């Protein structure tokens, strides 16, 4: 998004000579490879040469009317692809510098004064807006690039892709994407007509605002010295206390005489303080540096802190910040780096944009009354159940609709898990391990591995579902066992609590405290025992037409094709001999027909 906002384009800039005059119009194009297809030129109604063109043209009345109607349209309306293009013929001609043909010069408001040079070479064969315009006003359309994927040409629309050049004199046969542009730029340069040029869509950022909030700009206007910086010992310039801080008629600060009237920091004569304040984006562009040294009264920050802590590992924020705030922050950091004030290149390593939870079909809003009130759920279900449900309802990057029923499910899960862990802690301890315990240990290690990986990728919903799965394994274990080895008891209680802690901190802390008499926060995140992570096995039931024919030990997690291969090798069951095969992972395979 930032790249698009900056809008760097490399192309050619060259001059179009207006015939029978000494006027030349500068144009910029990102597609110099299509220059032979230029059949007219367009200048924007606000172009600085408009007066000269009016003087030369015999179509003055129409031009004046057109300019005045264009001035009432918004930029958005003028840029629109779907709106019908309008324009007016100047009756003048310019020379295509490569073909030396005279082509008509038009005025049209789809060309904006702020973009490029405010004038374009129009190539209707290969630009859709130029195409629509040429069709409407019966201007010649010329094909100069062949579409490699289509026979025929541009009867219905412009071809804006790349391909081999045609109708382009010496440049015929060159590939438009690779060689043609650079060759044509070389030709323009050698003939002193133009040159290569890089342009940007990014515009200047006006940082001043006529409002009360925001930092005063520490500058003073002096009649004699001009704009002068406030003396360092007078910084920071603080906002004055004023009664009327609304900006209904201009800058609120200008109404405070004690604020406005000062002496010039240079000559000492009476002068006036700048009354605009800075845009809040100025502050948000470097607060993360000041926060590292907030009490420093000598300077903005001590650079050692910045070099030590920045860049920020993880930025979490709405996608609406992706362009302005995050881009300005980068500009600030890069400028400070160039001024040798910091040694970092970028403020943030990574951006994560969260989705929005909707309620009753729209964004939650107090005034619309569609709000999920957390306090109600604290009382009815508990803060842990609410938190767990929010994490479980969808990946955090997605938008999702609030579902009142879902939180009941997470509450039941937490209660069941609590019951299970209490049962585990009360089981009689023995020294040896049976195969169920070995399986439980493997599940536990797989869960540690999976939850850790999902947490790092912000996939909280999947991590919660891992916790639900291990809870089912514990349920199975309790059903079939009345004793447990002390080692597995401890690792189950400890690790499940630790894994649950980020999602349901209250319940997990409580269970932990009861079992181990220490605070859960004093313990490290569990690590995986690599030897106990391999897939455990299960008894696969093999059916033919719904009747159990065989059973075999298989590794958990095997997919259908792998299981089919296993059944072929052991029982000579061939998939092709049956109408269909029904497979339930880690349970059963049924050959039907
Ligand atoms: Zn002065």
């Amino acid at each position: 998004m930032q790249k698009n906002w900056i809008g760097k384009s490399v192309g050619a800039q060259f001059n179009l000579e207006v015939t029978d005059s000494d006027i030349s119009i500068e144009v910029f194009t990102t597609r110099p490879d299509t220059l032979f297809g230029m059949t007219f030129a367009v200048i924007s109604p606000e172009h600085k040469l408009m007066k000269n063109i009016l003087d030369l043209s015999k179509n003055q009345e129409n031009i004046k009317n057109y300019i005045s109607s264009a001035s009432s349209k918004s930029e958005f309306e003028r840029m629109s692809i779907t709106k019908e293009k309008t324009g007016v013929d100047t009756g003048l001609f310019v020379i295509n510098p490569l073909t030396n043909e005279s082509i008509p010069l038009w005025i049209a408001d789809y060309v904006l004064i702020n973009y490029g040079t405010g004038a374009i070479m129009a190539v209707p064969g290969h630009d859709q807006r130029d195409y629509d315009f040429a069709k409407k006003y019966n201007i010649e359309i010329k094909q100069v690039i062949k579409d490699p994927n289509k026979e025929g040409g541009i009867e219905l629309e412009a071809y804006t892709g790349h391909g081999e050049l045609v109708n382009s004199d010496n440049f015929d046969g060159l590939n438009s994407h690779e060689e043609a542009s650079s060759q044509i730029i070389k030709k323009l340069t050698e003939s002193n007509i133009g040159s290569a040029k890089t342009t940007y869509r990014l515009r200047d950022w006006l940082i001043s605002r006529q409002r009360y909030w925001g930092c005063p700009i520490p500058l003073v206007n002096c009649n004699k010295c001009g704009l002068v910086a406030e003396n360092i010992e007078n910084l920071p310039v603080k906002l004055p206390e004023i009664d009327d801080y609304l900006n209904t008629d201009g800058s609120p600060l200008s109404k405070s005489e004690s604020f406005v009237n000062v002496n010039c920091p240079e000559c000492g004569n009476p002068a006036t303080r700048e009354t605009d304040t800075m845009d809040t984006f100025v502050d948000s562009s470097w607060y993360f540096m000041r926060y590292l040294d907030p009490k420093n009264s000598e300077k903005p920050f001590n650079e050692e802190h910045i070099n030590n802590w920045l860049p920020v590992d993880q930025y979490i924020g709405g996608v609406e910040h992706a362009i302005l705030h995050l881009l300005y922050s980068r500009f600030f950091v890069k400028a400070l780096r160039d001024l040798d004030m910091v040694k970092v290149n970028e403020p943030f390593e990574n951006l994560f944009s969260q989705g929005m939870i909707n309620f009753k079909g729209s964004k939650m809003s107090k005034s619309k009354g569609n709000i999920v009130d957390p306090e109600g759920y604290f009382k009815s279900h508990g803060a842990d159940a609410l938190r767990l449900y929010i994490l479980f309802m969808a990946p955090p990057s997605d938008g999702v609709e609030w579902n009142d029923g879902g939180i009941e499910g997470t509450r039941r899960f937490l209660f069941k898990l609590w019951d299970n862990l209490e049962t585990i802690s009360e089981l009689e301890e023995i020294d040896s391990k049976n195969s169920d315990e070995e399986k439980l240990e493997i599940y536990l290690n797989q869960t540690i591995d999976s939850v850790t990986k999902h947490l790092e990728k912000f996939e909280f919903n999947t991590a919660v579902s891992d916790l639900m799965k291990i809870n089912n394994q514990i349920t199975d274990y309790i059903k079939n066992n009345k004793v447990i080895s002390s080692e597995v008891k401890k690792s189950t209680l400890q690790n499940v609590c630790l894994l649950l802690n980020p999602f349901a901190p209250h319940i997990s802390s409580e269970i932990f405290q009861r079992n181990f008499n220490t605070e859960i926060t004093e313990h490290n995140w569990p690590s995986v025992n690599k030897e106990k992570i391999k897939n455990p096995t299960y008894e696969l039931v093999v059916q033919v037409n719904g009747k159990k024919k065989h059973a075999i030990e298989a590794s958990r997690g095997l997919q259908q094709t792998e299981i089919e291969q296993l059944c072929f090798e052991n029982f000579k069951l061939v998939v092709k001999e049956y109408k269909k095969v029904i497979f339930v992972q880690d349970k059963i395979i049924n050959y039907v027909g």
Side-chain angles (χ1 to χ4, degrees):
M1 288 166 78
Q2 292 188 356
K3 204 168 189 176
N4 187 39
W5 186 259
I6 293 168
K8 178 179 177 179
S9 50
V10 181
Q13 188 148 310
F14 59 95
N15 289 325
L16 292 173
E17 308 298 334
V18 178
T19 56
D20 304 320
S21 81
D22 54 2
I23 306 175
S24 89
I25 300 169
E26 197 172 46
V27 293
F28 168 76
T29 176
T30 55
R31 292 292 304 268
D33 52 308
T34 63
L35 216 155
F36 282 85
M38 167 168 61
T39 54
F40 63 106
V42 185
I43 65 168
S44 106
E46 298 84 8
H47 200 279
K48 62 178 190 295
L49 290 173
M50 194 53 72
K51 193 183 166 301
N52 310 51
I53 285 162
L54 270 173
D55 287 346
L56 277 174
S57 176
K58 296 192 173 69
N59 200 9
Q60 290 183 355
E61 269 320 293
N62 288 337
I63 293 175
K64 281 180 186 161
N65 289 339
Y66 184 76
I67 291 172
S68 99
S69 80
S71 67
S72 64
K73 286 193 214 165
S74 73
E75 190 169 300
F76 182 75
E77 206 179 333
R78 288 171 56 169
M79 292 280 281
S80 166
I81 306 273
T82 50
K83 282 254 160 58
E84 192 175 333
K85 308 276 168 296
T86 61
V88 59
D89 191 353
T90 61
L92 307 178
F93 292 88
V94 297
I95 306 289
N96 180 325
L98 293 187
T99 63
N100 284 319
E101 286 167 349
S102 291
I103 54 173
L105 175 65
W106 284 70
I107 298 165
D109 63 10
Y110 75 94
V111 174
L112 298 174
I113 188 66
N114 295 326
Y115 192 69
T117 60
I120 60 160
M121 68 168 205
V123 183
H126 304 284
D127 179 285
Q128 192 57 40
R129 285 192 291 186
D130 297 346
Y131 188 91
D132 296 340
F133 193 85
K135 278 277 176 199
K136 181 173 173 186
Y137 293 107
N138 281 317
I139 305 171
E140 187 193 358
I141 299 176
K142 209 167 127 186
Q143 181 167 16
V144 293
I145 292 173
K146 240 179 15 193
D147 182 347
N149 301 314
K150 201 170 83 184
E151 285 301 315
I154 48 175
E155 292 79 15
L156 296 174
E157 58 180 0
Y159 172 60
T160 57
H162 285 281
E164 198 176 285
L165 261 63
V166 292
N167 300 322
S168 300
D169 207 8
N170 293 337
F171 301 93
D172 279 1
L174 291 181
N175 185 296
S176 66
H177 195 46
E178 288 147 11
E179 300 162 297
S181 286
S182 59
Q183 296 275 348
I184 287 177
I185 290 173
K186 197 170 155 213
K187 167 89 178 168
L188 291 172
T189 314
E190 282 169 3
S191 323
N192 276 328
I193 302 165
S195 57
K197 169 102 177 168
T198 303
T199 60
Y200 299 90
R201 185 175 161 264
L202 186 74
R203 297 182 192 172
D204 285 344
W205 167 28
L206 178 78
I207 65 148
S208 73
R209 298 287 183 268
Q210 290 202 330
R211 58 189 178 200
Y212 180 69
W213 62 90
C215 302
I217 298 171
L219 292 172
V220 173
N221 291 293
C222 171
N223 279 336
K224 194 172 139 228
C225 313
L227 203 56
V228 181
E230 178 58 279
N231 285 327
I232 272 227
E233 59 270 23
N234 293 335
L235 296 182
V237 175
K238 289 186 179 162
L239 283 173
E241 296 282 343
I242 56 175
D243 294 329
D244 181 12
Y245 54 83
L246 298 175
N247 56 339
T248 39
D249 52 343
S251 163
L253 293 187
S254 64
K255 288 172 227 160
S256 166
E257 284 187 17
S258 60
F259 178 80
V260 172
N261 297 318
V262 288
N263 292 327
C264 170
E266 246 165 54
C267 68
N269 286 342
T272 56
R273 202 183 275 294
E274 174 58 50
T275 57
D276 282 2
T277 54
M278 283 189 247
D279 182 5
T280 47
F281 275 122
V282 175
D283 308 308
S284 64
S285 297
W286 70 286
Y287 75 89
F288 46 88
M289 290 184 260
R290 178 66 183 176
Y291 277 19
L292 298 175
D293 196 8
K295 302 210 162 115
N296 197 327
S297 57
E298 299 298 311
K299 50 187 182 176
F301 47 74
N302 179 338
E303 82 166 274
E304 275 171 36
H305 297 314
I306 312 300
N307 299 337
N308 187 27
W309 286 98
L310 287 191
V312 173
D313 297 295
Q314 180 66 52
Y315 186 103
I316 300 175
V319 75
E320 70 275 14
H321 294 308
I323 297 174
L324 299 178
H325 161 50
L326 291 174
L327 187 60
Y328 295 154
S329 301
R330 296 182 65 204
F331 290 161
F332 266 58
V333 165
K334 284 173 190 299
L336 291 168
R337 175 204 61 193
D338 291 349
L339 292 165
D340 212 15
M341 289 175 73
V342 299
K343 290 201 164 39
V344 287
N345 291 318
E346 293 282 353
F348 314 115
E349 283 279 286
N350 199 28
L351 169 66
F352 182 86
S353 292
Q354 80 280 13
M356 183 97 70
I357 299 176
N358 287 334
F359 187 45
K360 293 177 182 162
S362 56
K363 192 175 155 179
M364 288 190 210
S365 141
K366 249 184 195 166
S367 59
K368 281 194 233 151
N370 64 331
I371 280 254
V372 174
D373 169 28
E375 287 210 27
Y377 290 106
F378 293 162
K379 287 183 189 125
S380 61
H381 293 78
D384 275 352
L386 176 62
R387 183 185 174 101
L388 195 69
Y389 174 54
I390 291 171
L391 294 171
F392 183 55
M393 63 202 301
S397 54
D398 290 5
V400 66
E401 172 73 20
W402 178 266
N403 171 2
D404 247 348
I407 190 172
E408 180 55 26
T410 55
R411 188 190 63 88
R412 256 185 274 129
F413 158 68
L414 286 173
F415 280 18
K416 179 73 187 168
L417 181 62
W418 196 333
D419 280 349
N420 278 345
L421 292 180
E422 212 156 78
T423 307
I424 290 277
S425 84
E426 284 162 6
L427 286 181
E428 188 191 328
E429 286 178 39
I430 51 164
D431 287 338
S432 60
K433 273 191 241 175
N434 66 15
S435 66
D436 277 1
E437 286 173 275
E438 278 162 12
K439 278 183 197 167
L440 188 60
E441 273 190 310
I442 289 169
Y443 276 120
L444 199 56
N445 275 283
Q446 287 177 335
T447 308
I448 295 171
D449 186 49
S450 182
V451 169
T452 307
K453 284 177 181 156
H454 288 308
L455 266 180
E456 280 168 0
K457 287 192 272 180
F458 289 75
E459 293 163 349
F460 306 129
N461 56 325
T462 330
V464 174
S465 98
D466 287 336
L467 291 168
M468 291 173 169
K469 282 185 202 152
I470 187 74
N471 189 34
N472 293 337
Q473 297 303 328
I474 298 171
T475 307
D476 283 353
Y477 182 85
I478 294 167
K479 216 187 290 168
N480 302 323
N481 295 276
K482 296 288 160 257
V483 291
I484 193 165
S485 77
S486 42
E487 185 196 336
V488 176
K489 180 193 257 191
K490 187 182 168 207
S491 77
T492 305
L493 287 170
Q494 189 162 322
N495 290 326
V496 170
C497 284
L498 286 167
L499 293 177
L500 181 67
N501 193 246
F503 306 93
H506 303 98
I507 286 176
S508 52
S509 306
E510 177 76 17
I511 303 171
F512 199 91
Q513 173 79 36
R514 285 187 192 189
N515 281 286
F516 302 108
N517 267 321
T518 59
E519 292 287 329
I520 194 167
T521 45
E522 316 238 318
H523 288 256
N524 288 333
W525 187 250
S527 53
V528 176
N529 181 340
K530 291 236 164 67
E531 291 181 355
K532 290 181 178 168
I533 199 174
K534 68 173 195 294
N535 282 328
T537 57
Y538 69 105
E539 191 186 62
L540 171 76
V541 174
V542 183
Q543 294 182 335
V544 175
N545 289 321
K547 289 210 174 79
K548 179 173 171 181
K549 292 280 175 188
H550 312 278
I552 187 172
E553 193 86 349
S555 297
R556 284 194 184 272
L558 287 186
Q559 301 297 306
Q560 181 163 353
T561 50
E562 295 162 314
I563 292 291
E564 284 169 0
Q565 183 64 25
L566 195 73
C567 290
F568 172 70
E569 283 163 10
N570 287 279
F571 314 117
K572 299 286 169 259
L573 284 163
V574 179
V575 173
K576 278 186 193 157
E577 292 171 5
Y578 295 88
K579 274 193 192 137
K580 63 175 176 177
V581 175
I582 300 162
F583 175 66
V584 182
Q585 196 179 333
D586 295 352
K587 275 210 168 81
I588 197 168
I589 188 161
N590 184 10
Y591 292 77
V592 182

